[in-house]
């Protein structure tokens, strides 16, 4: 069974308390349950959330060193700021999918600055929790 790392960045541990018009009303645990259901035991899933940029970089490095076959990442605010996450993702040769709950490309101008888009295979955004289940379904088709 292939190993898939699902990374969620800062403030995504607070889902449920964030603006619902952008992020929906589910908690991260509830979203993870939906992902597990969509996965249907196809992949071995490892869920990781951190509010710290360096910890996310270290987790991506675990994938570079062979621990994972694919990465699904919602870098949250680090999407728009992090050269370090860009550089870590760049080293990973397996499929990398970018996920966002909201329509990042249609919101404030600062959210259109994106440091991960050019080092990921595909982006799923704007569908709230369904962005994640769409990413898993896509991965099942290609892996
Ligand atoms: C987000 C969008 C980011 O701009 C924001 O900083 C987040 C969440 C999303 O899932 O829509 O925290 O990545």
């Amino acid at each position: 069974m292939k190993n898939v790392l699902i990374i969620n960045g800062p403030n995504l541990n607070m889902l449920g308390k964030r603006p619902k018009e952008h992020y929906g009303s589910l908690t991260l645990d509830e979203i993870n349950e939906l992902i597990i259901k969509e996965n249907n035991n196809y992949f071995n899933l490892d869920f990781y959330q951190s509010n710290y940029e360096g910890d996310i970089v270290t987790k991506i490095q675990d994938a570079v060193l062979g621990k994972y076959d694919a990465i699904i990442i919602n870098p949250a605010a680090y999407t728009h700021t992090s050269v370090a996450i860009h550089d870590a993702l760049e080293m990973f040769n397996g499929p990398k999918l970018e996920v966002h709950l909201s329509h990042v490309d249609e919101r404030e101008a600062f959210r259109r600055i994106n440091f991960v888009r050019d080092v990921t295979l595909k982006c799923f955004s704007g569908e709230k929790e369904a962005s994640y289940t769409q990413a898993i379904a896509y991965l099942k088709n290609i892996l």
Side-chain angles (χ1 to χ4, degrees):
M1 203 185 273
K2 305 254 188 206
N3 295 310
V4 176
L5 173 61
I6 300 174
I7 300 177
N8 281 291
N11 296 308
L12 293 171
N13 57 318
M14 300 300 280
L15 287 174
K17 297 190 187 307
R18 298 189 67 186
K20 294 188 183 356
E21 67 273 24
H22 292 305
Y23 305 119
S25 53
L26 300 189
T27 65
L28 188 56
D29 282 347
E30 288 168 336
I31 291 175
N32 290 346
E33 283 306 316
L34 293 178
I35 294 171
I36 288 166
K37 227 171 147 186
E38 179 71 34
N39 181 55
N40 198 18
N41 284 322
Y42 192 89
F43 298 121
N44 182 34
L45 301 178
D46 192 355
F47 294 96
Y48 182 76
Q49 190 279 329
S50 177
N51 295 321
Y52 300 96
E53 185 177 19
D55 289 347
I56 294 170
V57 167
T58 301
K59 199 71 186 172
I60 296 168
Q61 289 176 359
D62 287 347
V64 174
L65 295 173
K67 200 167 167 196
Y68 301 100
D69 301 293
I71 298 173
I72 293 175
I73 183 165
N74 183 348
Y78 290 140
T79 307
H80 319 297
T81 64
S82 181
V83 176
I85 290 175
H86 167 280
D87 289 353
L89 285 171
E90 187 178 48
M91 285 186 281
F92 179 70
N93 291 322
K96 297 162 266 192
L97 304 179
E98 175 189 359
V99 166
H100 301 282
L101 296 144
S102 67
H103 272 295
V104 271
D105 300 328
E106 295 169 21
R107 295 178 60 191
E108 303 94 321
F110 67 83
R111 290 183 209 275
R112 289 198 285 273
I113 299 164
N114 189 317
F115 283 86
V116 302
R117 188 68 50 86
D118 75 328
V119 287
T120 45
L121 177 63
K122 202 169 160 62
C123 176
F124 296 86
S125 73
E127 304 294 334
K128 300 198 169 71
E129 58 275 3
S131 301
Y132 289 89
T133 51
Q134 287 170 6
I136 279 286
Y138 179 83
L139 210 51
K140 284 166 87 173
N141 273 326
I142 64 166
L143 258 189

